[in-house]
Amino acid sequence: MKQTVTAVFDIGKTNKKFFLFDSEFQEVYREYVQFEEITDEDGHPTEDLSALRNWLKIVFDRILKTEKYNIKAINFSSYGASLVHLDENRDVIFPMYNYTKSIPQDIIDRFYERYGPEEDFHQKTGSSSSGMLNSGMQLYWLKSTKPKIFKKIRYSLHLPQYLSFVFTGIPLSEYTSIGCHTSLWDFEKKDYHDWVYAENLDQILPPIVSTETSINMNYNGKRIKIGVGIHDSSAALLPYVRSLRKQFILISTGTWSIALNPFVKRTLSRKDVADDCINYMRINGKPVKSARLFLGNEYSIQVKKLTEHYGVDKDYHKSVRFDPETHYKLVNGFQKMFHWESIHDPDMPAKTHLPYLSFDQAYHQLMMELVLLQVASIKSAKGKMTIEKLFVDGGFSDNDIYIHLLSHHFRNMELRTTDSSLGSALGAAICISDTQLNSKFLKKNYSMKKHIPFIAK
């Protein structure tokens, strides 16, 4: 007898993942793949959409044919700030531009001259001046720099909705992708910002539906419920919001480390904007005050350098555990040693200085400095609210030094970690189910661990 399951594609910038979950949301199958990036017309690296699309189809069609599983539903989670543009034939035009690509400053200046002041705009839209990291700015840039081709766009889809479109052929928008620091949404009036209508961008943004919407389709002869996709940070947040009663902050870690506070009841304040806070959105349209940090990206850059400098195996860093003695030596007379390549820190040195004889010492120093940045990010998201619970999911939940240091800095909060690989995917599966979650859900499904702060000397 076939096992009834829900399928999820969880698409990160590095790892493309496929999961199957049973009726209790227990993982029963997974597979991963990575693709080489291609380049856009300017030589900037970007997602190979063709390879991704082919993989989605091949994996799903293969699983459908197995005698082991009966897929009743499928949904999609992926990173945001990324748009796929379709022409009137619903074929892809333009590359899917990478959010790391820069926008000329004169275009940004022109935008705020028309639709600013900048600070007021950021308060209303919950976004910061981050260039391509705001998908709305991507559209403004495209319209400004490539007007002839821009006119050919019939629909612009955020990546989660494009993944759904691959299977349904139906172009749609949903709230979590629109609300993730895109500059498109006005959180005060709960509609697209006026500039979107002024530029007629609403004409190419598909109809908005609830994130919990699903489309019942006959796919390859099988009746399947197909979700409309969800932004990965909102997906990671969903199981916590649905199963916990007390207020908390979730740190969703990966390429970006995002401190998410889903309990705010107002738009961003001027101080929030000054602290570089932004908004994500819950599936019910409520704002999520957030502070993001390019932690995983910077970690990868610096670990690669340390690995080469000290001549250790490329995976050695994964085995280094927190050592109280090393921490004690470093914390006395502590000073910053690392110059970041992808994070702005006014207090960092002009260049990296490593006076240590061993990789382990240098690695402890690296983690101590990165965690200081993380602490500041969490405090920005928390503000003056009284919040006693702190959750960490994603890749850094497995990093022993990161967790020890974080629990030390927030010793008055209860810190728990969850299984690192499931967050976004499990949230996407829950999103299209009718299941009610209870307080035991996280412990049962996420291998929840409680962490006690170490006693410093």
Side-chain angles (χ1 to χ4, degrees), residues 273-289:
V273 171
D275 288 343
D276 204 27
C277 287
I278 55 173
N279 277 342
Y280 287 80
M281 191 183 283
R282 289 166 62 169
I283 64 172
N284 60 7
K286 291 183 178 180
V288 178
K289 181 183 172 186

Side-chain angles (χ1 to χ4, degrees), residues 133 173 273 366 392:
L133 263 170
S173 300
V273 171
L366 171 66
V392 180

Side-chain angles (χ1 to χ4, degrees), residues 57 86 90 155 157 161-172 215 217 219 226:
K57 288 280 196 175
L86 309 177
R90 302 193 177 185
Y155 294 109
L157 303 177
Q161 284 65 64
Y162 174 71
L163 302 175
S164 176
F165 171 83
V166 167
F167 291 86
T168 66
I170 301 173
L172 294 169
I215 300 157
M217 290 189 64
Y219 184 87
I226 302 178

Side-chain angles (χ1 to χ4, degrees), residues 244-300:
L244 297 172
R245 292 183 180 179
K246 291 187 176 181
Q247 294 183 347
F248 62 86
I249 285 177
L250 171 66
I251 306 134
S252 180
T253 65
T255 301
W256 286 91
S257 176
I258 306 167
L260 299 155
N261 178 355
F263 300 101
V264 292
K265 294 181 170 60
R266 55 168 177 76
T267 54
L268 297 180
S269 67
R270 289 184 178 271
K271 185 180 186 309
D272 293 334
V273 171
D275 288 343
D276 204 27
C277 287
I278 55 173
N279 277 342
Y280 287 80
M281 191 183 283
R282 289 166 62 169
I283 64 172
N284 60 7
K286 291 183 178 180
V288 178
K289 181 183 172 186
S290 311
R292 65 188 173 197
L293 183 64
F294 218 8
L295 190 74
N297 187 73
E298 189 65 43
Y299 175 88
S300 297

Side-chain angles (χ1 to χ4, degrees), residues 251 322 327 331 334 364-379 382 390 401-415 451-456:
I251 306 134
F322 177 76
H327 175 264
V331 82
F334 177 81
H364 272 73
Q365 173 77 30
L366 171 66
M367 294 311 302
M368 288 168 70
E369 293 191 36
L370 287 175
V371 167
L372 284 176
L373 297 174
Q374 182 70 87
V375 168
S377 177
I378 294 167
K379 287 181 177 178
K382 181 174 176 286
L390 190 62
I401 300 178
Y402 173 90
I403 295 300
H404 269 87
L405 293 174
L406 205 61
S407 65
H408 176 64
H409 283 285
F410 291 101
R411 53 196 315 105
N412 293 326
M413 296 180 75
E414 183 182 292
L415 174 64
H451 299 270
I452 308 298
F454 68 91
I455 299 174

Side-chain angles (χ1 to χ4, degrees), residues 1-262:
M1 183 176 175
K2 289 187 176 183
Q3 184 177 16
T4 299
V5 293
T6 295
V8 173
F9 282 103
D10 183 22
I11 306 302
K13 282 186 73 68
T14 303
N15 292 312
K16 323 302 176 187
K17 310 171 190 176
F18 176 74
F19 294 92
L20 295 177
F21 297 100
D22 66 16
S23 59
E24 299 293 319
F25 297 107
Q26 294 291 314
E27 175 195 332
V28 297
Y29 179 84
R30 75 165 77 181
E31 62 178 275
Y32 288 28
V33 72
Q34 295 181 357
F35 298 118
E36 290 292 326
E37 289 183 310
I38 59 173
T39 57
D40 63 22
E41 67 273 15
D42 298 319
H44 195 86
T46 190
E47 191 79 63
D48 188 341
L49 268 186
S50 179
L52 176 59
R53 184 171 57 246
N54 291 338
W55 178 74
L56 294 171
K57 288 280 196 175
I58 289 169
V59 169
F60 194 61
D61 290 351
R62 168 165 45 83
I63 296 295
L64 274 181
K65 292 175 183 176
T66 66
E67 294 300 316
K68 191 172 183 180
Y69 302 111
N70 173 37
I71 299 178
K72 68 170 184 177
I74 179 174
N75 205 4
F76 314 87
S77 67
S78 79
Y79 59 91
S82 303
L83 290 168
V84 181
H85 310 284
L86 309 177
D87 64 16
E88 62 181 11
N89 297 317
R90 302 193 177 185
D91 294 324
V92 175
I93 52 174
F94 292 117
M96 189 183 82
Y97 293 105
N98 196 323
Y99 61 59
T100 60
K101 187 182 178 77
S102 61
I103 293 179
Q105 189 59 43
D106 65 308
I107 293 177
I108 295 173
D109 292 343
R110 193 187 322 148
F111 178 88
Y112 288 117
E113 284 173 12
R114 291 182 184 178
Y115 303 113
E118 185 174 335
E119 188 179 65
D120 293 342
F121 183 85
H122 291 171
Q123 279 187 265
K124 289 183 178 179
T125 61
S127 58
S128 59
S129 184
S130 305
M132 286 285 201
L133 263 170
N134 299 346
S135 54
M137 281 293 199
Q138 292 184 30
L139 289 173
Y140 186 79
W141 166 76
L142 272 176
K143 187 178 181 182
S144 301
T145 59
K146 307 173 191 296
K148 290 184 179 179
I149 310 177
F150 183 84
K151 289 180 180 177
K152 296 181 180 179
I153 297 176
R154 179 62 190 93
Y155 294 109
S156 288
L157 303 177
H158 281 97
L159 182 55
Q161 284 65 64
Y162 174 71
L163 302 175
S164 176
F165 171 83
V166 167
F167 291 86
T168 66
I170 301 173
L172 294 169
S173 300
E174 59 77 43
Y175 290 105
T176 67
S177 293
I178 294 169
C180 70
H181 56 83
T182 62
S183 293
L184 294 169
W185 195 254
D186 187 322
F187 282 85
E188 289 181 356
K189 71 174 189 173
K190 299 177 182 176
D191 189 5
Y192 286 125
H193 191 280
D194 291 345
W195 84 270
V196 176
Y197 295 107
E199 296 287 342
N200 295 316
L201 297 185
D202 59 303
Q203 301 299 311
I204 61 173
L205 296 169
I208 303 173
V209 297
S210 164
T211 312
E212 296 174 283
T213 299
S214 58
I215 300 157
N216 290 302
M217 290 189 64
N218 190 309
Y219 184 87
N220 286 1
K222 296 189 178 182
R223 200 72 180 166
I224 295 175
K225 186 166 70 169
I226 302 178
V228 299
I230 180 172
H231 183 269
D232 56 8
S233 295
S234 297
L237 184 63
L238 185 60
Y240 297 86
V241 172
R242 288 228 175 139
S243 60
L244 297 172
R245 292 183 180 179
K246 291 187 176 181
Q247 294 183 347
F248 62 86
I249 285 177
L250 171 66
I251 306 134
S252 180
T253 65
T255 301
W256 286 91
S257 176
I258 306 167
L260 299 155
N261 178 355

